[in-house]
């Protein structure tokens, strides 16, 4: 039972639920990274994991971290999970635990549930259960890295509907003249939205911005076009 498990806390789960915090269930590599990033960004987290060593290792790093078996509905109820708006299930390899946990959450009607899938079949099951936010960390990372490896991209984010933002250095065609004069948007179908000078800070671009070879830029547009633009000669 959760009440007999080690608990490390700065706020009770009840208070956390009221504070619009996030529950992260399953603190493996994915769940742990997610929970720590949320805390880092200022969102309080209730972390739940069945493994005592994992719970102890996160002692003091999450607002509240507790050992509990999330397949048990009463354990989740004791931890006030039904009162949270946002819950993430980071359990993957243990398919049965992922499905049972997710089913419990669907019963609670938490407004937003995210669940990790480790295979297409796992994803299909979660979808059939009624989960709309399904995360495929390995597939997503594989696709992302393929773009980084293929092109001269320093970073890459693809949104839905085939739209992406990439971090790269300015191709020759965009250098040494005001962007308005280069007609980059008309010719290449992309927009250069921001620039970072060597050693400087990020700033928005305007039609008057002139790019140089040691700048870093953010390009936004249809995925294929952002990549094609980033692959143009740089010198
Ligand atoms: P990752 O790749 O993120 O490390 P994984 O995909 O291999 O994880 P699992 O190992 O199945 O996924 O689970 C991740 C975490 O979830 C583990 O720390 C595990 O202890 C925890 N977990 C598994 N089953 C349960 C459960 N029933 N209740 C609570 N936590 C659980």
């Amino acid at each position: 039972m959760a009440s007999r498990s080690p608990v490390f806390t700065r706020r009770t789960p009840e208070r956390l639920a009221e504070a619009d915090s996030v529950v992260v269930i399953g603190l493996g590599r994915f769940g742990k990274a997610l929970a720590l990033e949320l805390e880092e960004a200022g969102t309080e987290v209730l972390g739940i994991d069945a493994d005592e060593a994992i719970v102890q290792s996160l002692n003091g790093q999450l607002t509240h971290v507790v050992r509990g078996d999330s397949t048990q509905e009463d354990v989740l109820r004791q931890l006030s999970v039904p009162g949270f708006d946002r819950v993430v299930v980071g359990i993957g390899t243990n398919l049965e635990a992922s499905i049972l946990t997710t089913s419990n959450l669907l019963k609670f009607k938490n407004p937003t549930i995210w669940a990790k899938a480790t295979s297409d079949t796992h994803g299909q099951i979660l979808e059939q259960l009624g989960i709309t936010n399904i995360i495929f960390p390995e597939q997503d990372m594989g696709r992302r890295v393929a773009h980084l490896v293929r092109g001269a991209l320093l970073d890459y984010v693809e949104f839905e509907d085939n739209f992406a933002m990439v971090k790269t250095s300015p191709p020759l065609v965009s250098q040494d003249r005001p962007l308005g004069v280069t007609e980059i948007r008309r010719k290449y179908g992309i927009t250069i939205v921001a620039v970072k000078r060597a050693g400087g800070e990020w700033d928005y671009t305007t039609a008057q911005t002139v790019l140089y070879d040691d700048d870093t830029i953010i390009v936004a547009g249809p995925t294929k076009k952002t990549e094609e633009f980033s692959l143009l000669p740089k010198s």
Side-chain angles (χ1 to χ4, degrees):
M1 298 290 280
S3 54
R4 279 188 269 118
S5 305
V7 175
F8 305 102
T9 185
R10 301 201 292 270
R11 284 173 84 160
T12 63
E14 295 79 5
R15 295 290 305 284
L16 275 177
E18 286 161 13
D20 198 28
S21 310
V22 177
V23 184
V24 180
I25 300 174
L27 300 165
R29 288 164 302 176
F30 172 80
K32 179 180 168 181
L34 175 87
L36 290 174
E37 191 69 20
L38 284 167
E39 289 275 353
E40 176 75 24
T43 298
E44 291 182 306
V45 172
L46 165 61
I48 303 172
D49 199 287
D51 186 322
E52 188 169 334
I54 288 183
V55 169
Q56 287 189 356
S57 73
L58 286 166
N59 175 17
Q61 297 190 69
L62 303 182
T63 303
H64 192 105
V65 55
V66 59
R67 179 162 70 86
D69 179 356
S70 56
T71 63
Q72 306 293 315
E73 191 181 326
D74 60 335
V75 167
L76 296 179
R77 286 195 187 277
Q78 278 178 38
L79 293 169
S80 303
V81 172
F84 282 77
D85 285 350
R86 292 173 291 175
V87 186
V88 185
V89 182
I91 304 170
T93 310
N94 187 341
L95 187 63
E96 190 180 333
S98 160
I99 293 167
L100 291 172
T101 301
T102 312
S103 305
N104 283 333
L105 299 175
L106 288 164
K107 230 181 282 175
F108 300 157
K109 299 195 168 34
N110 298 93
T112 312
I113 303 168
W114 293 79
K116 181 179 103 165
T118 44
S119 66
D120 289 343
T121 317
H122 189 178
Q124 273 165 25
I125 295 169
L126 292 172
E127 201 179 329
Q128 279 160 12
L129 282 172
I131 301 293
T132 44
N133 301 305
I134 303 170
I135 317 145
F136 294 88
E138 277 153 16
Q139 285 96 321
D140 290 351
M141 186 52 82
R143 287 181 61 200
R144 207 175 102 79
V145 173
H147 288 279
L148 298 181
V149 169
R150 209 177 91 77
L153 309 187
L154 303 170
D155 213 341
Y156 168 90
V157 186
E158 188 177 15
F159 304 95
E160 286 164 52
D161 306 326
N162 199 29
F163 193 87
M165 288 184 95
V166 307
K167 180 173 146 190
T168 187
S169 51
L172 208 50
V173 290
S174 60
Q175 292 177 22
D176 304 322
R177 286 176 303 153
L179 281 175
V181 175
T182 60
E183 295 198 299
I184 292 293
R185 192 180 307 183
R186 189 183 61 76
K187 289 185 189 156
Y188 300 94
I190 53 85
T191 303
I192 299 172
V193 293
V195 57
K196 188 171 181 246
R197 306 294 183 194
E201 300 284 318
W202 283 105
D203 200 0
Y204 297 111
T205 56
T206 67
Q208 287 74 45
T209 303
V210 178
L211 300 177
Y212 303 102
D213 60 354
D214 57 353
D215 291 338
T216 307
I217 55 170
I218 304 272
V219 178
T223 307
K224 199 160 178 279
K225 292 195 167 154
T226 55
E227 209 169 22
E228 280 166 4
F229 182 73
S230 305
L231 286 167
L232 290 172
K234 308 283 172 141
S235 57

